[in-house]
Amino acid sequence: MQSWLAVEITSADIILNTLILTRPDDLHLHLRDDEQMKAVLPDTVRRFARAIVMPNLNPPVLTTEIALKYSQRILAAIPANMRMHFEPLMTLYLTDNTEIAEIIKAKASGIIHGIKFYPARITTFSDAGVTDIAKCSAVLETMEQENMPLLVHGEVNDLEVDVFDREKIFIDRVLIPITHRFPGLKIIFEHITTKEAVEFIKDTPGNIGATITAHHLLLNRNAMFQGGIRPHFYCLPVLKRETHHIALIEAAISGNPKFFLGTDSAPHSRDAKESNCGCAGIYTSHAAIELYAEVFEQAGALEKLEAFASYFGADFYGLPRNKGSITLIKESWDVPMELKFGREALVPFCAGRSITWKILD
Ligand code: DOR
Ligand code: ZN
């Protein structure tokens, strides 16, 4: 679809309370598996044409063969009454032992779009992650040659480092050395949360981009402590202070194609989050594009939403832009207090509150 909206959006369009966007892509998503996946997948399919699917299952998605079976389960889980086309963009989970041959196989398959680097033990199901990225040098070299993107969870797994500084330190200790050693490697710095990450991305060449979540655009770290401890606002990288929040909004609405949409929607059961050691992750897929619309509208930049949500991610990954469209209307709706999550329950982002944009089917 031509970007008539991006070019020609006027206050008249807003008066009509309708926003038509090229169908967007979610460039960072956790779909889980089995019954849990069946519960959350329709929310994504309703809004997005494609999604980069994270490989942090338990056990992780280590090979193309495993990813292929996972993608078949995803396609089979799309409800029959949702006839829209949806394409899962699969990823593999990088370990100290990932083999060069696996990268070559992944590239040749056409279904693997990135290799995910989790520093070991940094977040949910990252125990099998990388203990030292130096161990992956040969694999990174192959990825650079094969044009296979590296998707990075950018935090150091150093317990001595303050949790709010782990992203900033990661840039200096890990990311900059990788970019120097492998200058042609395509890198996506996932779910950035700091002004240092924004500056880093702005200063690097075009082969390095970043995703930004809706929740990091809507909240600062105060949300986690509003009147008590709020486990449903806990994610990793953790929310940061207001100066960082502002830097993220500026990056998202800047029109710089190196910044694009990735929800990092990460469902966990209510019990797993409301516990004495609650899981990291915020579920936003039930209202993902609507939440981004709120951010862009509040920033007076609705005309920048379409490129951020529907063009820049596809362009960065070298994928064709989507042809279909979605329609949002300015109409308030109430988010349920909980959603079904297999045999368990899930507390969605903004539970019990209202959202001002609504998607039409
Ligand atoms: O908050 C998060 N949840 N951050 C991650 O990196 C992983 C994710 C998950 O899988 O739950
Ligand atoms: Zn994630």
Side-chain angles (χ1 to χ4, degrees):
M1 169 176 286
Q2 219 305 96
S3 59
W4 63 268
L5 185 85
V7 177
E8 292 181 19
I9 191 167
T10 64
S11 51
D13 294 303
I14 308 301
I15 290 165
L16 290 173
N17 291 332
T18 302
L19 197 51
I20 300 170
L21 302 173
T22 299
R23 186 167 281 272
D25 296 314
D26 184 349
L27 284 312
H28 182 133
L29 177 66
H30 298 269
L31 278 178
R32 312 303 189 212
D33 211 345
D34 305 321
E35 292 303 305
Q36 295 185 338
M37 175 170 71
K38 286 202 182 96
V40 296
L41 181 62
D43 285 340
T44 292
V45 174
R46 204 173 156 208
R47 293 167 175 82
F48 297 97
R50 299 171 291 207
I52 290 276
V53 180
M54 288 297 117
N56 63 331
L57 300 184
N58 190 17
V61 180
L62 296 176
T63 66
T64 301
E65 226 178 342
I66 298 171
L68 181 60
K69 290 197 181 122
Y70 184 29
S71 76
Q72 287 162 350
R73 291 198 297 283
I74 295 169
L75 291 171
I78 298 176
N81 64 343
M82 298 184 88
R83 291 286 170 222
M84 286 168 274
H85 177 76
F86 176 76
E87 186 185 357
L89 306 170
M90 307 309 291
T91 61
L92 298 187
Y93 186 112
L94 185 65
T95 73
D96 292 353
N97 304 315
T98 301
E99 289 178 8
I100 289 174
E102 196 58 58
I103 303 298
I104 293 171
K105 209 191 278 176
K107 183 70 189 184
S109 76
I111 66 151
I112 308 294
H113 295 266
I115 310 293
K116 179 68 188 241
F117 164 25
Y118 285 106
R121 295 174 296 284
I122 198 70
T123 187
T124 310
F125 299 141
S126 61
D127 290 4
V130 175
T131 60
D132 178 358
I133 193 65
K135 295 186 176 164
C136 301
S137 294
V139 161
L140 296 182
E141 197 179 325
T142 306
M143 288 169 59
E144 184 181 30
Q145 286 158 5
E146 296 280 325
N147 192 27
M148 175 62 83
L150 180 71
L151 319 186
V152 177
H153 183 112
E155 291 188 286
V156 284
N157 56 352
D158 180 345
L159 297 181
E160 305 277 297
V161 176
D162 189 284
V163 68
F164 293 101
D165 295 334
R166 287 184 190 163
E167 182 174 284
K168 184 175 71 178
I169 304 284
F170 182 89
I171 296 171
D172 295 328
R173 274 198 209 165
V174 186
L175 203 45
I176 291 177
I178 294 177
T179 61
H180 287 170
R181 177 112 193 252
F182 308 100
L185 182 62
K186 203 182 258 194
I187 298 175
I188 296 98
F189 192 174
E190 308 263 41
H191 43 55
I192 57 168
T193 62
T194 57
K195 65 177 185 311
E196 287 83 2
V198 169
E199 290 310 316
F200 170 79
I201 294 294
K202 285 202 287 199
D203 291 346
T204 49
N207 56 316
I208 303 172
T211 55
I212 310 181
T213 77
H215 45 280
H216 287 102
L217 289 170
L218 283 162
L219 302 175
N220 68 31
R221 65 189 188 180
N222 287 346
M224 286 186 295
F225 309 106
Q226 197 83 53
I229 186 86
R230 302 281 182 173
H232 299 289
F233 291 139
Y234 173 59
C235 64
L236 286 171
V238 72
L239 295 168
K240 303 295 191 301
R241 65 165 64 237
E242 182 60 9
T243 44
H244 299 292
H245 174 218
I246 291 170
L248 294 177
I249 295 172
E250 285 171 0
I253 66 170
S254 67
N256 183 337
K258 286 156 69 77
F259 299 104
F260 45 88
L261 185 156
T263 62
D264 195 19
S265 180
H268 289 278
S269 70
R270 178 193 279 282
D271 289 349
K273 289 206 56 86
E274 296 177 8
S275 108
N276 69 342
C277 186
C279 292
I282 297 179
Y283 184 70
T284 54
S285 294
H286 63 296
I289 191 67
E290 301 91 317
L291 293 168
Y292 283 102
E294 284 199 5
V295 171
F296 279 67
E297 185 183 34
Q298 278 163 25
L302 257 185
E303 79 283 2
K304 297 283 180 61
L305 176 62
E306 185 175 46
F308 174 83
S310 314
Y311 298 162
F312 295 159
D315 295 351
F316 191 89
Y317 273 89
L319 298 164
R321 292 180 178 182
N322 296 315
K323 297 220 160 48
S325 64
I326 57 166
T327 302
L328 301 180
I329 54 166
K330 195 77 197 294
E331 186 182 302
S332 195
W333 58 284
D334 295 330
V335 178
M337 290 303 287
E338 62 177 38
L339 301 172
K340 278 188 79 129
F341 190 45
R343 266 158 282 162
E344 298 175 282
L346 162 69
V347 178
F349 188 67
C350 288
R353 305 219 327 255
S354 60
I355 290 183
T356 54
W357 286 94
K358 186 173 181 178
I359 189 164
L360 295 183
D361 283 318

